[in-house]
């Protein structure tokens, strides 16, 4: 199927990122000890991942959300940076609330992760944090991975939740309890499944970094 024919995949969770939710998402990571600790750990892992990826000079932050990693990505003054998200409201919040000298380093555009409006090999690395664990269906993940593989010329830094650890077990139990919800928000993907999907998409795993060892 070529790009013109393909229908963009729509995820139920994608719809919630309006202006109010964007502000909430911006505040969320600054609130409370555990959230701030988890945000700090995310930054630590991402710093390491960027180093392993060879400190790429052209990066697309997608989904950028409210620019949680913009300071980190902009640390290298020679880096060329793009940021994209499905929601213009969260992009606007990032541009409004992040320090102006950081925000101005990013060229932003709205787009779906399944059909990004850029050419093949657009960047050296895609920074894709906290999206994949929202994608529950195999076909959707394959479509997403194919699009990421098309747009990067070298690496993808991607976060996800896999089974086989305490955090994943707790999350699985929590999602099972949330019977009232119209849709499942987050998914724990078996490691064996996702690694097969990476391989099927033509990707090789250079490194795995755990949130907690
Ligand atoms: C949990 S946030 C993660 C944002 C950021 N990477 C972070 O870690 O702070 C998920 C983001 O995915 C975006 N999103 C949802 N569906 C998307 C899609 N199909 N394509 C691109 N972005 C999408 C949402 O608008 C939201 O900003």
């Amino acid at each position: 199927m070529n790009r013109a024919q393909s229908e963009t995949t729509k995820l139920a969770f994608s719809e919630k990122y309006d202006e109010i939710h964007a502000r909430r998402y911006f505040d969320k990571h600054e609130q409370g000890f555990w959230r701030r600790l988890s945000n700090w750990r995310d930054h630590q892992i991402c710093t390491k991942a960027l180093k392993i990826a060879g400190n790429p000079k052209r990066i697309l932050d997608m989904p950028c959300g409210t620019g949680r990693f913009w300071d980190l990505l902009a640390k290298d003054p020679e880096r060329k940076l793009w940021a994209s998200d499905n929601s213009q409201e969260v992009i606007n919040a990032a541009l409004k609330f992040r320090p102006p000298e950081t925000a101005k380093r990013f060229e932003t555009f709205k787009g779906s992760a399944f059909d990004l409006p850029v050419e093949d090999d657009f960047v050296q690395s895609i920074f894709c944090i906290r999206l994949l664990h929202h994608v529950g269906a195999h076909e959707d993940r394959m479509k997403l991975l194919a699009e990421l593989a098309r747009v990067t010329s070298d690496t993808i830094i991607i976060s996800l939740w896999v089974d086989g650890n305490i955090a994943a077990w707790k999350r699985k139990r929590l999602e099972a309890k949330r019977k009232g919800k119209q849709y499942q928000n987050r998914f724990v993907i078996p490691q064996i499944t996702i690694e097969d999907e990476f391989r099927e998409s033509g990707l090789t795993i250079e490194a795995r970094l755990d949130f907690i060892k």
Side-chain angles (χ1 to χ4, degrees):
M1 195 187 287
N2 67 32
R3 296 191 71 217
Q5 288 171 315
S6 73
E7 273 210 4
T8 293
T9 305
K10 290 214 165 73
L11 303 173
F13 105 102
S14 304
E15 306 304 315
K16 70 178 182 181
Y17 289 89
D18 56 15
E19 202 179 329
I20 295 168
H21 200 91
R23 177 71 226 206
R24 261 193 229 139
Y25 193 76
F26 176 84
D27 291 334
K28 180 176 158 181
H29 297 283
E30 315 289 332
Q31 285 166 351
F33 175 75
W34 291 112
R35 284 231 168 98
R36 276 186 281 122
L37 182 69
S38 146
N39 192 31
W40 170 82
R41 177 67 182 143
D42 280 354
H43 279 70
Q44 197 184 39
I45 297 174
C46 289
T47 303
K48 210 166 176 185
L50 284 166
K51 204 168 168 197
I52 294 169
N55 285 320
K57 295 292 178 207
R58 293 168 59 87
I59 299 185
L60 170 64
D61 180 18
M62 192 293 305
C64 63
T66 54
R68 192 158 65 100
F69 296 100
W70 283 11
D71 274 338
L72 170 65
L73 294 171
K75 263 189 187 156
D76 181 343
E78 282 163 28
R79 197 171 268 153
K80 179 89 184 83
L81 294 158
W82 288 267
S84 177
D85 200 283
N86 201 37
S87 152
Q88 188 60 49
E89 284 77 12
V90 300
I91 298 176
N92 293 346
L95 293 169
K96 186 169 168 191
F97 300 125
R98 296 294 159 197
E101 64 280 10
T102 306
K104 74 173 185 227
R105 294 275 312 276
F106 288 79
E107 206 172 295
T108 62
F109 58 91
K110 179 176 177 322
S112 163
F114 298 94
D115 195 7
L116 291 162
V118 292
E119 70 264 27
D120 297 359
D121 297 338
F122 179 61
V123 281
Q124 258 178 302
S125 189
I126 301 180
F127 193 76
C128 184
I129 308 297
R130 297 203 186 188
L131 178 64
L132 191 56
H133 67 269
H134 290 292
V135 188
H138 164 77
E139 315 78 68
D140 293 343
R141 286 197 298 273
M142 292 306 289
K143 201 168 168 194
L144 172 66
L145 294 176
E147 186 60 352
L148 299 183
R150 180 186 76 75
V151 170
T152 185
S153 64
D154 192 16
T155 57
I156 302 166
I157 294 171
I158 195 161
S159 77
L160 65 147
W161 291 353
V162 289
D163 59 345
N165 56 54
I166 293 179
W169 171 76
K170 273 187 169 166
R171 172 55 60 178
K172 212 169 175 182
R173 221 175 41 155
L174 182 70
E175 291 296 340
K177 274 192 203 156
R178 287 179 160 169
K179 296 262 185 286
K181 276 223 158 194
Q182 281 160 335
Y183 61 90
Q184 185 172 341
N185 193 19
R186 300 182 180 105
F187 301 84
V188 174
I189 308 166
Q191 188 166 346
I192 194 165
T193 306
I194 191 69
E195 291 194 354
D196 275 349
E197 291 174 353
F198 285 149
R199 270 187 289 275
E200 267 182 65
S201 309
L203 302 167
T204 50
I205 302 168
E206 288 297 325
R208 302 173 181 79
L209 301 172
D210 291 323
F211 186 84
I212 302 173
K213 288 223 184 291

